């Protein structure tokens, strides 16, 4: 099927029914290697974000560093926004800002019922969209897919019950 599998093997000489033979043990470690790469990616991203938290002197620097690092670590788009009146206003964008600029970011508008950043801001709860192609078509999903995004997530930024905005990420792969 063309599938590539990663394997480890060990072997040794044995006697088998009075004859010299070689016994091999082959173990598929493809999934283990994938998990290890994901953990390494996560550790590296966490270190980078923690370093930004310690070294940033302003909120703007922190937000820019975080969105840039998320972009650098494989997200197609990352942005931080905050509620200003009845709208989510972008503060920092890592990646192409055309999608963010094109969507209705009104907390009462069309995107209020689905676009992850807008919905997370409105509800105060994290939002995850695993495959945008599977969602019912709306203006925001059509724009997201048009810009090449297949999944998205947004989390409110809150500290000591004070809201600082929302962090949204989008990926070109589902889930």
């Amino acid at each position: 099927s063309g599938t590539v599998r990663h394997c480890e093997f060990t072997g040794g000489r044995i006697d088998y029914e009075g004859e010299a033979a070689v016994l091999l043990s082959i173990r598929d470690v493809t999934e283990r290697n994938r998990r290890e790469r994901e953990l390494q990616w996560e550790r590296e991203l966490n270190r980078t974000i923690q370093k930004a938290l310690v070294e940033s002197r302003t909120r703007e620097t922190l937000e820019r560093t975080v969105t840039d690092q998320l972009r650098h670590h494989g997200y197609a788009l990352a942005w931080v926004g905050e509620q200003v009146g009845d709208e989510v206003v972008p503060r920092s964008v890592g990646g192409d800002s055309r999608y963010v600029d094109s969507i209705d970011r009104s907390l009462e508008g069309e995107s209020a019922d689905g676009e992850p950043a807008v919905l997370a801001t409105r509800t105060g709860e994290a939002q995850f969209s695993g495959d945008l192609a599977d969602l019912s078509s709306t203006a925001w999903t059509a724009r997201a897919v048009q810009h090449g995004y297949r999944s998205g997530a947004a989390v409110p930024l809150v500290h000591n019950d004070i809201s600082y905005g929302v962090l949204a990420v989008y990926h070109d792969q589902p889930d």
Side-chain angles (χ1 to χ4, degrees), residues 34-49:
R34 184 192 63 75
R35 284 192 311 270
E36 286 174 357
R37 283 190 308 274
E38 287 177 357
L39 286 171
Q40 179 60 32
W41 174 88
E42 188 176 316
R43 280 188 219 107
E44 183 181 324
L45 179 58
N46 284 340
R47 276 193 299 270
T48 302
I49 299 301

Side-chain angles (χ1 to χ4, degrees), residues 18 32 67 87-88 99 114 133 152 160:
R32 182 183 79 188
T67 55
E87 181 179 22
V88 180
Y99 167 74
N160 288 335

